[in-house]
Amino acid sequence: MKDIGEKYDMKATTSLSRFQLLCTIFRQELRKIFTDEGVLLILVFATLIYATLYSATYGAQVLRNIPIGVIDESHTVSSRRLITLLDAGPNIHVAYEPTDMPTARELFFQREIYGIVYIPANYERQLLDNVQTCIAIYCDASNFLMYRQVFQDLVTSINLTGAQVELQRLVTRNTDIRQAQATIQPVVYQSHNLFNPYLGYGTFVMPAVLMVIIQQTLLIGIGMLGGTWYEQNRQPIKQPYSNLITRSDTIPFIVLGRFLAHALIYTITTSYILGVHYRLFDYPDNGSTLAVIVFAAFYLTACILFALAVSTLFRHREDSLILLLWTSIPILMLSGVSFPREGMPQWLYAIGQLFPSSHGIDGLIRIRSMGASLNEVFPEIKALLTLAFLFGIMACISTYRTIQRKYSIRK
């Protein structure tokens, strides 16, 4: 009975020591974060700064008052009416009326205008003779947002002008107005823009950008801590628990202690970004708050463990910033948001699935923009759990190997 009691006391003491080790690692990790200005800037302030800057940049959502030029060689009432119609909308405005195409081309290449409309000299005559006329449109396709806005508004205005001309022709033939309208447009369609009613670019791209910001700041910030730890060549914890860090069975507690420290900080920042920040910039909020909280918890878990696994690879604190900062754009592209996944090679899309951000972006857009439930985003949750499990194992292995290599033989 005495042996059994001693064994029980030893197990209780070991369990208590491991818990105390976890708490010590947790406190030390928080102390490192808040005493290192660079890490604090990346993990806390950079997340908020980047989210605010990007959201403010795309705050207008759609382009307004895009300048265009109109070459009017007709100089008639009909051509002036068309120019007035082109200038009536909020998206484009007639900034210049050059006299010839070389002048308009020069304005175009100087980025003074982003579209050219050419009205031929026989424009009104062909309208009066019931002959189909042609209006030339030149749009800047190097910028897709400019191109879409200019081309769409120009075509809409020209089609409206054509419909008005045809309506006048039918009315002059004593055709009933309703019958004339039905002849011009026999099928009337109703357009409903789902999930992005204003067709805003910010509403489209910012949910994905916010998830990438969370992942990348974690990778860079925790990578800086890993590089600092390696640079300073010191034990990660002092007595009386320093003898525990070289044991393989205590490594999960070290990783868990670091994980909890970063989880505490990013629970606060992520709550602000996905809660207050979303409402400040009026992004779609169709899903339930509970679904967002649960999904964000899975996403943060995968991202933090991913960062902990990668952090042991850096030998200098600046390495993570230099090596990881440029990866933000490729990671966003591989997620299938900025470029559709159907258009990229399958092997390239498979590489993108190795990052938590790809699944986090899909899940958040479905919940927040489309109003999906947790059951409907279960494939994304399952993928995040799988990545979290794999990254957790990698973090434990890499942490153990680093400790054994640098700190196990130290008297």
Side-chain angles (χ1 to χ4, degrees):
M1 293 295 293
K2 184 177 180 180
D3 294 339
I4 296 176
E6 290 179 352
K7 289 182 180 180
Y8 178 79
D9 291 339
M10 291 179 61
K11 290 182 179 179
T13 302
T14 304
S15 299
L16 181 61
S17 299
R18 290 170 180 170
F19 177 74
Q20 291 172 339
L21 172 66
L22 186 150
C23 295
T24 304
I25 292 291
F26 173 77
R27 291 193 300 267
Q28 288 192 1
E29 192 75 7
L30 287 178
R31 189 180 303 114
K32 291 177 184 177
I33 294 172
F34 288 100
T35 56
D36 190 323
E37 294 83 358
V39 174
L40 185 64
L41 177 64
I42 295 296
L43 289 180
V44 179
F45 296 105
T47 306
L48 305 179
I49 292 172
Y50 278 119
T52 304
L53 286 179
Y54 278 111
S55 299
T57 302
Y58 301 134
Q61 296 281 2
V62 295
L63 298 175
R64 301 290 189 187
N65 297 321
I66 303 175
I68 65 170
V70 178
I71 303 174
D72 183 11
E73 293 192 349
S74 178
H75 302 290
T76 59
V77 175
S78 299
S79 64
R80 295 307 306 172
R81 188 180 296 117
L82 174 59
I83 295 174
T84 302
L85 184 61
L86 294 175
D87 199 33
N91 298 328
I92 61 175
H93 76 97
V94 180
Y96 296 90
E97 293 188 34
T99 57
D100 51 23
M101 184 58 73
T103 305
R105 187 184 296 111
E106 183 177 355
L107 292 171
F108 183 85
F109 289 128
Q110 291 177 354
R111 285 295 189 263
E112 297 291 333
I113 57 177
Y114 294 91
I116 301 173
V117 178
Y118 177 80
I119 303 176
N122 58 352
Y123 172 70
E124 186 176 67
R125 182 183 305 172
Q126 289 182 328
L127 290 180
L128 296 176
D129 293 341
N130 292 333
V131 177
Q132 188 178 46
T133 187
C134 178
I135 296 176
I137 298 176
Y138 302 87
C139 297
D140 183 6
S142 63
N143 187 315
F144 285 145
L145 287 178
M146 292 283 190
Y147 173 78
R148 183 182 70 88
Q149 203 76 1
V150 172
F151 182 77
Q152 182 178 353
D153 280 36
L154 289 179
V155 170
T156 301
S157 299
I158 293 173
N159 287 338
L160 180 60
T161 300
Q164 292 175 347
V165 171
E166 184 64 22
L167 180 63
Q168 291 176 355
R169 290 175 180 173
L170 293 175
V171 171
T172 55
R173 298 173 185 172
N174 296 324
T175 305
D176 182 70
I177 294 181
R178 292 185 178 181
Q179 184 178 359
Q181 291 176 341
T183 302
I184 296 172
Q185 191 176 16
V187 179
V188 179
Y189 70 90
Q190 293 182 345
S191 176
H192 300 277
N193 301 318
L194 301 178
F195 315 129
N196 190 354
Y198 302 107
L199 298 178
Y201 186 74
T203 301
F204 158 69
V205 76
M206 276 311 299
V209 171
L210 291 176
M211 300 302 273
V212 172
I213 288 174
I214 292 173
Q215 174 184 280
Q216 295 302 99
T217 52
L218 273 169
L219 285 171
I220 295 174
I222 297 178
M224 290 179 68
L225 287 175
T228 303
W229 181 26
Y230 196 95
E231 255 185 6
Q232 294 178 352
N233 194 24
R234 65 187 182 189
Q235 289 186 352
I237 189 170
K238 298 179 181 180
Q239 295 289 347
Y241 308 109
S242 58
N243 61 322
L244 293 177
I245 64 172
T246 58
R247 295 171 49 180
S248 60
D249 57 340
T250 59
I251 295 299
F253 293 90
I254 297 176
V255 174
L256 181 59
R258 298 187 66 193
F259 169 85
L260 292 176
H262 296 285
L264 175 62
I265 295 174
Y266 266 77
T267 296
I268 299 173
T269 56
T270 304
S271 298
Y272 167 78
I273 290 176
L274 299 184
V276 179
H277 187 86
Y278 247 74
R279 289 172 173 79
L280 284 177
F281 290 93
D282 198 26
Y283 294 135
D285 188 9
N286 299 318
S288 67
T289 303
L290 179 61
V292 174
I293 293 174
V294 173
F295 186 80
F298 289 120
Y299 179 67
L300 281 180
T301 301
C303 287
I304 295 173
L305 291 175
F306 180 32
L308 290 175
V310 173
S311 65
T312 57
L313 301 177
F314 302 113
R315 299 297 178 259
H316 304 281
R317 59 182 284 110
E318 298 85 5
D319 289 350
S320 64
L321 184 63
I322 296 173
L323 296 176
L324 296 177
L325 185 62
W326 65 272
T327 61
S328 300
I329 299 301
I331 286 176
L332 181 63
M333 295 181 64
L334 291 175
S335 67
V337 174
S338 60
F339 189 78
R341 64 187 61 177
E342 292 79 9
M344 65 177 65
Q346 187 62 32
W347 63 270
L348 199 58
Y349 174 72
I351 293 176
Q353 299 304 293
L354 299 177
F355 300 101
S357 56
S358 297
H359 309 284
I361 290 171
D362 286 345
L364 182 71
I365 291 177
R366 291 185 181 183
I367 294 175
R368 269 291 167 81
S369 300
M370 303 180 180
S373 63
L374 287 175
N375 290 332
E376 292 171 322
V377 295
F378 181 75
E380 286 76 20
I381 293 176
K382 182 179 178 181
L384 288 174
L385 286 175
T386 302
L387 290 177
F389 176 75
L390 295 176
F391 291 142
I393 294 177
M394 292 171 59
C396 291
I397 294 174
S398 60
T399 301
Y400 177 72
R401 293 185 61 182
T402 301
I403 291 175
Q404 287 292 319
R405 183 170 59 249
K406 293 183 64 64
Y407 307 112
S408 61
I409 307 176
R410 181 171 293 188
K411 301 298 182 180

